[in-house]
Amino acid sequence: AEEIESMGRREKHSIRSYLLNVMMHLLKWQYQPERRGSSWECSIDNGRHQIDSLIEDSPSLEPQLEIFISKEYPQARKIAASETGLPISTFPESCPFTIEQIVDPEYWPD
């Protein structure tokens, strides 16, 4: 039972980490279009793939995505500001992306 509980914690931590990374890169993609590159694109694609895999393996995580996003977005915003050199006020205080947009491999902000 402890091993299963520990595995669940690891999966939650992993999905939260991937969500943070995807949101941070989506913010950078949207607010610093002149710096878009294959590195950001690959990071977003990989994060989306990993999120999809984790949800496929543990469907019970899907209903928690909204909670994870609300908890991780402030850090994604802070990192995006730090990495772009833009003021944190550039980025919305609450996540501008829907769950569907975050995980949709076809979605790219303008």
Side-chain angles (χ1 to χ4, degrees):
E2 286 178 32
E3 192 172 320
I4 291 171
E5 189 176 310
S6 175
M7 194 167 79
R9 281 193 303 274
R10 279 194 307 273
E11 287 175 342
K12 282 181 183 180
H13 176 76
S14 292
I15 204 163
R16 286 177 66 161
S17 177
Y18 287 117
L19 283 167
L20 183 149
N21 197 51
V22 169
M23 289 186 291
M24 182 263 300
H25 278 95
L26 286 173
L27 287 170
K28 288 170 33 174
W29 188 273
Q30 183 170 9
Y31 289 93
Q32 208 170 41
E34 70 280 2
R35 305 263 329 259
R36 291 177 184 169
S38 59
S39 173
W40 290 358
E41 187 175 350
C42 288
S43 182
I44 292 167
D45 282 339
N46 178 61
R48 286 172 166 165
H49 172 75
Q50 295 299 328
I51 292 164
D52 185 56
S53 294
L54 285 162
I55 298 276
E56 188 177 311
D57 291 346
S58 299
S60 65
L61 291 174
E62 190 167 14
Q64 299 180 61
L65 286 178
E66 196 166 327
I67 294 165
F68 296 158
I69 289 167
S70 68
K71 289 185 177 195
E72 296 302 326
Y73 179 74
Q75 183 66 13
R77 180 179 181 242
K78 183 178 175 184
I79 295 169
S82 176
E83 289 190 4
T84 61
L86 297 170
I88 197 159
S89 60
T90 303
F91 306 99
E93 287 190 29
S94 38
C95 186
F97 313 112
T98 65
I99 294 168
E100 293 77 18
Q101 290 170 328
I102 291 169
V103 300
D104 180 359
E106 301 300 315
Y107 173 75
W108 296 93
D110 294 330

